[in-house]
Amino acid sequence: LAEQFANNPFDPGHPYSQPILWRDGGIYQIIDGECRWRAMKQIGTKKFEAIVYDNLEDAEQARKMAAMGMVGTDTKRHLSAIEKSRGVQTALDLDIPDEAIAPLAKTDAQGLSKMRRARTIVDDAAEDMSLLRLISIGEFADDPDAVEALTNCKESEYYDIVRSLERDRKRKETLSIIKSALEEAGVEIVDEKPEGYAYECMLRFEEDLEKEHD
């Protein structure tokens, strides 16, 4: 954010949208825009314009509208995937109805549910994750190893990890179906290859399955 503000062609050193403050007596409380305030401090911005409310309820309502605007308007296309994710997460924190957030976040109620699940798992780390990465973590929430891999990787690496996890899950599901069908047909399933048998056909089947999945 600091780099983005420093290179703001319209107002160097300042954000594209003004922080929202609540005037609590002689103290100004940040209702929306703490990250923007910290970014401005980092690059040495001394003054900035803000929207100030004397009524806390009005300030909170403005915050809700700002969160919706961040993820829903074309004027925000300069924001990164992570910044857009923060906007959606703010909307979730403000209990804005899912039916209002989902189309703006380009997902559905199920996707938002996975996001909530992922945020519970990764806690504060969610602030630096894109929407799709959070949804992926929620998708694999029951797999601790998968969650760890998706949480500790770089943002640029998560997609390849997700593809690998999906291929592995698809393979396991398919093999489970095959085993069930063989058991119903009365075919014995063994842990080791019997003498005189080969497993080349199964390997070719898995390779074909993976190509079909890709």
Side-chain angles (χ1 to χ4, degrees), residues 36-51:
R36 278 167 279 172
W37 172 69
R38 292 183 183 278
M40 285 188 283
K41 284 187 64 177
Q42 184 174 320
I43 59 176
T45 301
K46 301 299 182 182
K47 297 180 179 180
F48 64 91
E49 293 185 355
I51 302 172

Side-chain angles (χ1 to χ4, degrees), residues 4-77:
Q4 182 188 100
F5 297 168
N7 296 316
N8 183 348
F10 305 105
D11 191 8
H14 295 87
Y16 290 87
S17 58
Q18 299 174 354
I20 297 172
L21 310 180
W22 167 47
R23 182 163 31 215
D24 182 13
I27 299 174
Y28 289 85
Q29 304 278 4
I30 299 177
I31 301 300
D32 180 65
E34 182 175 352
C35 289
R36 278 167 279 172
W37 172 69
R38 292 183 183 278
M40 285 188 283
K41 284 187 64 177
Q42 184 174 320
I43 59 176
T45 301
K46 301 299 182 182
K47 297 180 179 180
F48 64 91
E49 293 185 355
I51 302 172
V52 182
Y53 290 87
D54 291 318
N55 184 287
L56 180 58
E57 290 185 3
D58 290 343
E60 289 289 357
Q61 182 62 31
R63 183 187 182 194
K64 289 185 179 183
M65 298 303 295
M68 296 295 288
M70 174 175 285
V71 296
T73 65
D74 290 341
T75 59
K76 299 296 181 183
R77 285 181 178 170

Side-chain angles (χ1 to χ4, degrees), residues 60-210:
E60 289 289 357
Q61 182 62 31
R63 183 187 182 194
K64 289 185 179 183
M65 298 303 295
M68 296 295 288
M70 174 175 285
V71 296
T73 65
D74 290 341
T75 59
K76 299 296 181 183
R77 285 181 178 170
H78 59 274
L79 296 177
S80 69
I82 292 177
E83 290 164 351
K84 291 177 182 178
S85 175
R86 288 172 181 165
V88 173
Q89 292 182 63
T90 297
L92 292 175
D93 289 337
L94 293 171
D95 293 327
I96 294 174
D98 284 2
E99 55 267 27
I101 303 176
L104 302 179
K106 297 181 180 180
T107 186
D108 53 19
Q110 188 176 15
L112 294 179
S113 177
K114 292 176 182 177
M115 278 190 63
R116 289 190 176 92
R117 195 174 184 186
R119 293 180 70 204
T120 299
I121 296 171
V122 304
D123 201 16
D124 292 341
E127 186 175 344
D128 295 318
M129 294 182 181
S130 65
L131 294 174
L132 293 178
R133 184 176 175 185
L134 286 171
I135 290 174
S136 296
I137 292 174
E139 176 74 24
F140 290 94
D142 295 329
D143 185 340
D145 292 336
V147 169
E148 182 178 1
L150 290 169
T151 301
N152 296 329
C153 70
K154 296 179 180 178
E155 184 69 30
S156 59
E157 298 171 341
Y158 93 89
Y159 180 70
D160 289 336
I161 294 175
V162 169
R163 289 200 65 192
S164 176
L165 291 170
E166 288 177 342
R167 284 196 296 267
D168 186 57
R169 183 169 63 181
K170 182 65 175 179
R171 182 182 296 108
K172 289 179 180 178
E173 290 175 351
T174 303
L175 290 177
S176 177
I177 293 173
I178 293 173
K179 288 180 179 179
S180 296
L182 291 174
E183 289 174 349
E184 289 180 5
V187 177
E188 182 182 0
I189 299 175
V190 296
D191 294 329
E192 297 182 1
K193 179 174 68 69
E195 185 71 25
Y197 282 75
Y199 53 86
E200 184 178 358
C201 290
M202 178 57 74
L203 286 177
R204 287 179 177 174
F205 172 79
E206 288 192 11
E207 291 173 358
D208 292 341
L209 176 65
E210 187 169 336

